[in-house]
Amino acid sequence: MARIKIHVEYEGGWSDAGKPLLCLDTGSWRSVRPVLDKEKCTYCGWCALYCPTQCMIDKGEYFLPNFDFCKGCGICGKECPQDAIGMVSEGAFKDEDKDGK
Amino acid sequence: MSKTKKLSKVFDYFKDEDPFSGGLTLCPGCPLELLLRFTARVLGKEIVFVGTPSCSATVLYGQNTRSWHKLAYYSCLMTGVASSATGIARYYRKLGKDITVVAFTGDGCSADIGFQPLSGAAERNENFIYITYDNEGYMNTGIQKSSTTPVGARTSTTPVGETRRGNPNPGKNMPLLMAMHKIPYAATATLSHLDDLAKKLVKAKEKKNEGLAYVHVYSPCPTGWGFDSDLSIAICRLAVQTNYFPLWEAERGRFRFTRKTAKPKPLKDLIKLIGKFSHFTDEDLIVLEKEVEERYQLIEGMARTWPLNA
Amino acid sequence: MENRGKVRTLTGNAAAAYSAMLCSPDVVALYPITPQSEVIEQLASFHAEGLLDAEMVEVEGENSAINVVTSASMAGARVFTATSSWGLAYMYDGMLQASGFRAPVVMVNVNREMPGILAVSSGQQDMTSTRDSGWIQVVAEDCQEICDLVIMAYRLAEDHEIQLPVMVNYDGFYLSYLAEGVNLPGREDVDIFLAPLKDQPPRPVLVPGEPLGCGTHGILEGFVELRYKHSVAMERARAKFDAIDGLFKDSFGRSYGGQIEEYRTDDADIVLVVSGSAAGTAKAVVDSARDLGEKVGVVKLRMFRPFPRERMTRALRGKKGIGVIDRSVCFGWNSGPLFMELKAVSTEIGKIPTMNFIDGLANTDITTEHIVKMIADVRKAAAGEPFQAVTWVSLEE
């Protein structure tokens, strides 16, 4: 008689958000990334509001994307009322290390 | 040059942090992703999502025992969304607890396969919020036609070829159909007008205490409609500005526009950006223009005859 | 225990409604279909009279009915709904959800013919067509048993070792509209009988603000494990049903034998296997036959799902001939479903001539004459004569 191994603790189909959330490495999807010209920024926040991944981090005087999750969709670049965000090819950053240097 | 650094007031609507994981399985530029995160932040972390197989299910549902977000949710089939939301809302009503159940589906569910239970729940005035994200088709399964697909649009089940040219039917005016149930609240909204959307979500949350609150959100699909991911918000905005998707709300059958465009832009400005209309001839455009015009006049007439005072 | 019940004259539908009311459900979904409509009508009037403190949802279709009760159940409610044939079919997707989620839903299904040819008449095709839905299915023989089975169904469904939806079946037209004397338990006694369910550690339920989500997407082994657990829970339901029968006897003085009732089978040569109201007729025929010295008995099937394989095997082993009465058809096998399922345990029962009698479809009565002939046919088969495996009784000249 074969032994059966059961790991799931529930009887039914429950998921538990008390465990670490599932997370995809969506930052690796990018082919372009937003680059902010801080001089033009008026801290209106529309880039952060329109960002579908809501990955913009409030830096106090401007917002910067969290590149772990920025998918490079380009909406922030398109919507910025001051035209302060440009979309730059990821190729320009291929030599940077994990800390963005 | 001195710049006034002033944050948009839309941020004030956020009640809680974004409960969703940072990396979600939704296409870049997907308005649905924005809608999900925005809705959760505005309505707060005590909501219960009710979802169904769809693009949203990929993030609303868990995978085995893990989850993509921190909120309580209930998953069911497309036929069961409004009725499942009813069951949860009714039981908590019996317990005397005020909770916010948010049924969250695409147009394929609310206008097609889930329409009967939605209509039934509206007729009975059940206490929950129902949000439809309208991407005008069944996107998760491969861009098939739904009953909100506009006339002439190319989809994988209404292709353009020798014998046919896209969707032959004008589609259901879903938000109007829901408003005609005389529910306490029915509204249209979209992702370009976030202040308007936030106000409507907050109002829906309040109105659900009286009965069904329905919000229909225009949510263009870059992958399915054929446009670059950076245009999602711009297309939402154009849809409003061309009167293709007017922004209105209705309370128990009384209507008002929440945004009126003084000089609507030509529909062509919207259509030319979207790949599913790329086969359009001038005649095709006239047909769609007529449909858009009629729908707008209908709402205008309702707002004039049965106005909702602000 | 002192029997505080009151005998009332109730139709099968009324018995089901009274019994459900006594169990105090929190959420009830109501949608009419012949021959069940009186169940929900009666529940609605209980609610109007203040006898039933429940959220009454007059849904717009049976699919909504099952979804309403399943989601309420997953939020922690005790629930009830009722349907029949086409309504059951319309519920099917929601039914799979209820059992897959392990929702302790109790539902009355008044057996009516299905599918295909429209028939507003009795038959068990609805129950047998949904036997793979993962629900527990039990069947009543008379109005008293309907009343008692609903109470036992809650005790079974809400037991945390089970946590499965239970369908209580009874023959439409024969029982739904038949008035019989029913000893209706007092509400306090039903409360006491169901009270142990509250003492269990709480099951996971849907709570706003809590991180538990109901209805995860099962991937690979995650799915398989849950499916296995479901299957194993079904296995546990057999013994649990027998145990509940014993507890019911202690509380209310009535016992039915659990998964099956063995009526005069101990020394019987010939046994009829039957479920539902026809069992009553079969028992009457068996009594007459016994008076004439014939050694016949009836095994009444009460639990259809899970199939009572051990008890059925023990009851039938060593018999000389078996007649299985089926009130539905198993397409693709040209026989009835109960016959098919018995065949599956034939190696355990032993090689015994077994005949299938398809009878009672679409309100064609299963008469005493039919049953007398069935016994005679099985006796001939038991004596070694060649026999016809499957007989469509009402069509034979």
Side-chain angles (χ1 to χ4, degrees):
Chain A
M1 182 80 164
R3 269 198 4 225
I4 304 254
K5 265 205 301 191
I6 301 287
H7 301 99
V8 69
E9 60 267 53
Y10 300 104
E11 286 293 305
W14 296 94
S15 66
D16 181 4
K19 299 184 185 182
L21 291 184
L22 292 165
C23 190
L24 277 187
D25 177 18
T26 48
S28 65
W29 294 10
R30 276 196 311 277
S31 49
V32 293
R33 72 163 68 174
V35 174
L36 173 67
D37 180 347
K38 294 189 190 127
E39 291 298 305
K40 292 186 179 168
C41 175
T42 60
Y43 194 49
C44 66
W46 280 107
C47 56
L49 287 170
Y50 281 136
C51 173
T53 62
Q54 295 283 284
C55 74
M56 291 283 187
I57 302 167
D58 188 344
K59 294 292 193 187
E61 296 207 318
Y62 49 86
F63 287 84
L64 282 186
N66 178 347
F67 287 117
D68 286 345
F69 301 123
C70 169
K71 293 175 183 170
C73 70
I75 284 174
C76 54
K78 186 94 181 137
E79 295 301 317
C80 174
Q82 309 302 326
D83 244 336
I85 300 175
M87 300 304 291
V88 177
S89 165
E90 276 294 295
F93 303 92
K94 67 179 181 327
D95 295 326
E96 79 181 355
D97 64 19
K98 271 193 79 72
D99 296 315
K101 301 201 172 60
Chain B
M1 173 178 75
S2 82
K3 291 169 284 176
T4 353
K5 293 223 173 205
K6 210 165 75 145
L7 264 186
S8 163
K9 290 228 273 290
V10 175
F11 284 99
D12 296 342
Y13 285 106
F14 290 156
K15 262 187 84 188
D16 282 312
E17 289 304 305
D18 183 359
F20 285 91
S21 166
L24 296 180
T25 74
L26 293 165
C27 301
C30 177
L32 167 60
E33 179 162 12
L34 178 58
L35 180 64
L36 272 168
R37 295 178 185 275
F38 191 81
T39 301
R41 294 192 77 177
V42 170
L43 293 181
K45 60 185 191 294
E46 298 278 312
I47 61 179
V48 180
F49 269 123
V50 179
T52 187
S54 60
C55 281
S56 62
T58 62
V59 301
L60 283 181
Y61 293 13
Q63 282 191 10
N64 291 341
T65 54
R66 303 273 298 280
S67 180
W68 294 99
H69 62 86
K70 300 196 183 124
L71 307 174
Y73 71 87
Y74 186 85
S75 79
C76 53
L77 304 166
M78 296 167 95
T79 46
V81 174
S83 36
S84 297
T86 298
I88 300 166
R90 285 289 197 120
Y91 180 55
Y92 274 97
R93 186 167 95 179
K94 181 165 199 273
L95 295 178
K97 291 200 188 141
D98 177 25
I99 67 160
T100 304
V101 178
V102 182
F104 194 96
T105 77
D107 51 281
C109 176
S110 51
D112 286 347
I113 190 171
F115 184 68
Q116 176 213 303
L118 173 55
S119 181
E123 184 274 324
R124 292 188 308 270
N125 234 352
E126 303 289 352
N127 303 101
F128 61 90
I129 301 173
Y130 196 112
I131 299 177
T132 298
Y133 58 92
D134 188 0
N135 46 31
E136 298 180 346
Y138 293 90
M139 296 315 178
N140 190 235
T141 45
I143 329 296
Q144 292 89 11
K145 169 211 139 89
S146 78
S147 62
T148 60
T149 303
V151 61
R154 179 197 300 116
T155 68
S156 58
T157 45
T158 59
V160 176
E162 287 293 312
T163 58
R164 61 180 309 168
R165 290 179 56 74
N167 180 26
N169 306 308
K172 296 182 191 176
N173 187 340
M174 195 54 200
L176 180 60
L177 282 173
M178 292 315 299
M180 287 289 92
H181 288 72
K182 292 222 170 156
I183 49 180
Y185 193 61
T188 59
T190 189
L191 282 314
S192 51
H193 294 69
L194 290 177
D195 184 76
D196 182 78
L197 171 61
K199 278 205 184 80
K200 286 168 175 171
L201 288 172
V202 169
K203 199 161 185 190
K205 187 173 182 183
E206 177 203 308
K207 288 289 181 181
K208 64 116 178 78
N209 295 320
E210 297 168 32
L212 192 70
Y214 181 83
V215 184
H216 194 98
V217 183
Y218 180 74
S219 180
C221 172
T223 309
W225 296 14
F227 58 84
D228 287 340
S229 59
D230 63 343
L231 288 177
S232 300
I233 303 297
I235 285 176
C236 292
R237 191 176 291 113
L238 264 174
V240 176
Q241 290 167 340
T242 55
N243 282 347
Y244 177 84
F245 191 81
L247 297 177
W248 53 265
E249 62 184 5
E251 293 179 32
R252 298 189 192 277
R254 298 197 151 262
F255 289 69
R256 73 177 192 99
F257 286 98
T258 57
R259 180 65 76 109
K260 234 182 162 189
T261 309
K263 266 199 74 167
K265 295 190 174 169
L267 189 62
K268 202 183 179 112
D269 288 359
L270 172 67
I271 302 306
K272 70 176 188 243
L273 292 178
I274 301 174
K276 69 181 180 184
F277 297 117
S278 62
H279 59 285
F280 260 34
T281 60
D282 291 337
E283 285 76 37
D284 294 326
L285 183 59
I286 288 170
V287 169
L288 186 59
E289 274 172 344
K290 188 159 175 292
E291 179 62 30
V292 168
E293 176 72 20
E294 278 179 15
R295 286 196 185 191
Y296 185 80
Q297 283 172 351
L298 192 49
I299 303 292
E300 216 179 21
M302 302 293 266
R304 210 178 326 117
T305 319
W306 294 283
L308 172 66
N309 300 315
Chain C
M1 159 180 267
E2 188 197 314
N3 185 354
R4 288 186 282 204
K6 271 221 285 260
V7 177
R8 303 182 62 141
T9 310
L10 295 177
T11 61
N13 282 347
Y18 267 89
S19 190
M21 178 264 287
L22 291 171
C23 295
S24 308
D26 300 303
V27 178
V28 178
L30 307 99
Y31 193 81
I33 181 167
T34 307
Q36 160 271 79
S37 308
E38 290 70 22
V39 177
I40 53 148
E41 287 171 9
Q42 185 70 77
L43 287 167
S45 61
F46 287 147
H47 179 250
E49 289 159 28
L51 293 170
L52 175 59
D53 177 22
E55 287 287 338
M56 308 295 277
V57 193
E58 305 86 15
V59 288
E60 75 304 321
E62 288 94 343
N63 193 283
S64 294
I66 189 65
N67 279 299
V68 165
V69 297
T70 302
S71 68
S73 178
M74 296 317 287
R78 173 172 291 166
V79 297
F80 183 79
T81 191
T83 191
S84 173
S85 84
W86 294 118
L88 192 69
Y90 190 29
M91 285 184 174
Y92 198 68
D93 67 359
M95 283 175 68
L96 298 173
Q97 183 127 351
S99 65
F101 280 4
R102 306 290 297 279
V105 171
V106 169
M107 174 164 83
V108 150
N109 177 47
V110 187
N111 295 124
R112 172 180 150 181
E113 275 300 356
M114 169 179 121
I117 322 145
L118 182 69
V120 191
S121 45
S122 190
Q124 284 180 339
Q125 197 76 32
D126 55 5
M127 173 180 90
T128 57
S129 295
T130 54
R131 63 199 200 263
D132 285 330
S133 58
W135 281 54
I136 293 173
Q137 293 180 320
V138 296
V139 190
E141 174 193 335
D142 56 29
C143 297
Q144 181 70 63
E145 195 173 0
I146 293 171
C147 164
D148 294 344
L149 264 181
V150 170
I151 300 168
M152 287 194 258
Y154 280 105
R155 187 70 193 259
L156 181 62
E158 294 180 10
D159 187 313
H160 287 175
E161 290 179 357
I162 307 299
Q163 285 183 75
L164 283 171
V166 178
M167 187 193 301
V168 177
N169 294 276
Y170 56 90
D171 289 318
F173 302 91
Y174 291 101
L175 292 180
S176 57
Y177 304 135
L178 172 76
E180 291 185 310
V182 174
N183 187 318
L184 209 59
R187 194 193 280 270
E188 319 74 43
D189 293 328
V190 175
D191 286 343
I192 293 168
F193 183 73
L194 296 178
L197 295 168
K198 287 206 202 73
D199 296 333
Q200 302 176 103
R203 62 179 167 106
V205 289
L206 188 66
V207 179
E210 296 290 309
L212 274 188
C214 181
T216 193
H217 189 208
I219 314 273
L220 299 172
E221 277 73 34
F223 177 96
V224 184
E225 290 185 14
L226 286 176
R227 190 109 295 182
Y228 179 76
K229 282 188 158 194
H230 181 171
S231 195
V232 167
M234 277 285 240
E235 296 298 298
R236 290 196 290 266
R238 294 193 192 92
K240 187 70 72 167
F241 192 51
D242 284 350
I244 288 172
D245 189 84
L247 292 167
F248 196 87
K249 183 174 180 95
D250 294 339
S251 297
F252 300 103
R254 289 184 294 278
S255 166
Y256 294 88
Q259 300 164 65
I260 60 174
E261 181 191 339
E262 296 163 80
Y263 185 78
R264 308 185 85 165
T265 56
D266 281 345
D267 64 337
D269 293 328
I270 308 297
V271 174
L272 291 177
V273 181
V274 63
S275 70
S277 60
T281 318
K283 286 179 194 171
V285 173
V286 155
D287 286 344
S288 306
R290 282 275 177 179
D291 288 344
L292 298 173
E294 279 197 67
K295 292 212 260 177
V296 283
V298 176
V299 168
K300 183 181 106 178
L301 181 85
R302 298 184 69 239
M303 176 171 254
F304 183 51
R305 274 294 179 274
F307 188 75
R309 60 186 306 161
E310 294 92 5
R311 296 252 344 245
M312 190 66 86
T313 302
R314 282 204 307 272
L316 296 176
R317 209 184 270 133
K319 303 304 176 206
K320 304 266 173 33
I322 302 168
V324 183
I325 304 178
D326 262 303
R327 215 159 191 154
S328 59
V329 174
C330 187
F331 293 111
W333 285 97
N334 195 27
S335 69
L338 191 47
F339 180 71
M340 290 310 306
E341 305 211 350
L342 268 175
K343 284 293 205 171
V345 291
S346 59
T347 45
E348 289 141 63
I349 293 175
K351 200 167 159 60
I352 305 172
T354 307
M355 295 181 72
N356 188 201
F357 301 99
I358 296 178
D359 199 2
L361 306 185
N363 273 10
T364 54
D365 295 335
I366 302 178
T367 63
T368 50
E369 288 79 20
H370 288 180
I371 296 181
V372 165
K373 183 160 192 304
M374 288 175 201
I375 293 174
D377 287 346
V378 175
R379 192 167 286 294
K380 285 196 213 132
E385 293 181 39
F387 63 92
Q388 186 175 285
V390 182
T391 305
W392 289 66
V393 173
S394 57
L395 296 184
E396 296 239 318
E397 302 258 275

